[in-house]
Amino acid sequence: MKYSKSGAEVRLAPRDVLARAIKERHAILFVGAGVSMSVGLPSWQTLIDHLLDELELDRSTMDDMRESYQMLAEYYRLKQGSMGPLRSWMDRTWKVACDRVATSELHRLIVELDFPAIYTTNYDRNLETAFEVHHRPYAKITNAKEIADAPEGVTQIIKFHGDFDDDDSLVLTETDFFNRLSFDSPLDIKFRADALGRTILFIGYSMSDPNIRLLLHRIWEIWEKSGRKEDRPRSFVFMPSPNPVQEALLARWGMTLLAPEGDTPVDDALVALLRDVQARIRTLPGPATEPARKEIKPSRASVAPTRRSHRRKPG
């Protein structure tokens, strides 16, 4: 919100609000599977098909399960005794060639927008690769120790549903998701702290995903209980094809829906949004003496390690 010279209240357009928050480093990004699928990552249906084949189940098994891979993964653990073989298969399959990420305009824009924190429910390391190929330092965070070790001044990439380098961090089965819904892990506590003081932009998500809807509800609930809900920073969800039902539910939770403008093709809509926000940032006035960002030397915490963590043998 801002005021004109006459003192009249002028409401900023949503994209201008978002641009200002990003410029002032008061915004965080939440990245879903749609972003990784844009560079060729397999869909969740690929995982479901693999689980059905491994478990020798008919495709009709999913008819009453609404494509819930979490239930299938839980059954897999019960039948196989561990998640080792599945995790190994996902580690091999859930990869995208480095050059695909390097040439992705979407990933370049994410890096250039310089969010202080990027949360992602993706298991892959495409975001880390994007920062590496564009020569920007970052800190990957999957547990409490990495929260404590993260250096100041670099983008934090928080792997909200875990990372293949740490089997124990993966949120994959139904039990894992139920435990995550308690919203009291170190990553949850960090997210609550970040969400209370910053604008959030969600991209790459479907509003049909119950986990993301619950997350949005929890953010709303935190502010409702705070007694200061009117002070909550505006937050946004990008959707390539919105509908009035979803828009109304998002508005109830204090979320503003961002949709494509004009005749932008669906596949290009997210890139167009970030490109537009970046252009708006460049037109915003900055402080009279805006300090240059200090160059940060890479460290073990700020650059993705090339070594792999020790893994348990399957079975």
Side-chain angles (χ1 to χ4, degrees):
M1 197 74 68
K2 66 177 182 178
Y3 294 87
S4 65
K5 291 181 179 179
S6 65
E9 186 179 280
V10 178
R11 188 171 181 83
L12 291 174
R15 294 186 182 211
D16 287 328
V17 174
L18 177 59
R20 183 172 295 279
I22 294 174
K23 181 179 179 67
E24 296 174 351
R25 293 181 63 76
H26 287 162
I28 60 178
L29 185 64
F30 217 105
V31 175
V35 171
S36 287
M37 289 171 63
S38 72
V39 289
L41 197 79
S43 67
W44 290 119
Q45 187 59 49
T46 302
L47 173 60
I48 290 170
D49 290 342
H50 175 77
L51 286 167
L52 290 172
D53 290 341
E54 285 288 295
L55 296 167
E56 299 181 346
L57 295 173
D58 190 85
R59 294 296 187 268
S60 62
T61 304
M62 298 303 297
D63 290 348
D64 298 325
M65 294 170 60
R66 298 183 181 180
E67 298 185 349
S68 174
Y69 72 86
Q70 297 100 326
M71 293 177 67
L72 267 182
E74 189 75 44
Y75 182 66
Y76 180 97
R77 180 157 60 188
L78 289 172
K79 296 292 288 184
Q80 305 285 31
S82 83
M83 299 301 293
L86 177 61
R87 200 273 309 141
S88 296
W89 175 84
M90 290 185 69
D91 196 5
R92 296 191 305 272
T93 307
W94 250 243
K95 287 181 178 178
V96 173
C98 182
D99 59 346
R100 291 288 298 273
V101 178
T103 58
S104 164
E105 185 177 5
L106 175 55
H107 285 80
R108 177 183 61 78
L109 286 164
I110 289 173
V111 173
E112 289 182 356
L113 286 171
D114 195 29
F115 292 91
I118 299 175
Y119 285 78
T120 180
T121 49
N122 299 340
Y123 309 112
D124 62 76
R125 66 182 316 273
N126 291 339
L127 288 172
E128 296 96 304
T129 299
F131 275 78
E132 290 165 11
V133 298
H134 293 294
H135 309 293
R136 294 290 297 274
Y138 67 90
K140 183 181 74 172
I141 294 176
T142 61
N143 54 50
K145 181 181 185 302
E146 290 173 346
I147 293 175
D149 290 344
E152 294 291 333
V154 302
T155 296
Q156 296 180 354
I157 300 177
I158 300 98
K159 308 296 284 286
F160 208 58
H161 281 176
D163 180 81
F164 289 132
D165 285 342
D166 180 1
D167 287 3
D168 293 334
S169 71
L170 292 177
V171 178
L172 186 59
T173 69
E174 188 173 60
T175 296
D176 297 332
F177 276 89
F178 286 162
N179 290 337
R180 169 41 54 89
L181 296 184
S182 66
F183 218 52
D184 59 2
S185 76
L187 296 190
D188 294 317
I189 294 169
K190 175 176 171 53
F191 177 67
R192 288 204 301 267
D194 285 343
L196 279 172
R198 290 171 172 160
T199 289
I200 312 170
L201 171 62
F202 290 84
I203 62 174
Y205 286 100
S206 165
M207 287 302 103
S208 63
D209 184 339
N211 298 298
I212 194 63
R213 293 206 309 274
L214 179 60
L215 184 63
L216 295 177
H217 172 77
R218 286 287 172 82
I219 298 169
W220 170 82
E221 188 177 45
I222 290 169
W223 276 101
E224 285 292 307
K225 292 180 178 179
S226 73
R228 300 298 299 270
K229 63 181 181 180
E230 67 279 2
D231 297 321
R232 176 185 174 182
R234 290 180 70 183
S235 289
F236 305 90
V237 174
F238 171 78
M239 293 183 61
S241 54
N243 66 53
V245 174
Q246 293 174 333
E247 187 169 4
L249 290 175
L250 289 170
R252 179 180 180 274
W253 290 330
M255 308 293 295
T256 299
L257 186 147
L258 296 175
E261 293 183 335
D263 298 325
T264 307
V266 171
D267 291 344
D268 301 328
L270 180 52
V271 168
L273 167 70
L274 297 187
R275 194 188 296 135
D276 177 54
V277 169
Q278 186 180 61
R280 291 169 190 256
I281 290 172
R282 290 169 178 161
T283 65
L284 289 172
T289 56
E290 185 172 346
R293 291 192 66 197
K294 182 180 179 181
E295 182 179 352
I296 302 167
K297 295 181 180 180
S299 66
R300 285 184 62 191
S302 64
V303 178
T306 55
R307 65 179 177 84
R308 308 292 286 178
S309 61
H310 178 69
R311 296 199 175 120
R312 299 185 298 272
K313 293 182 179 180

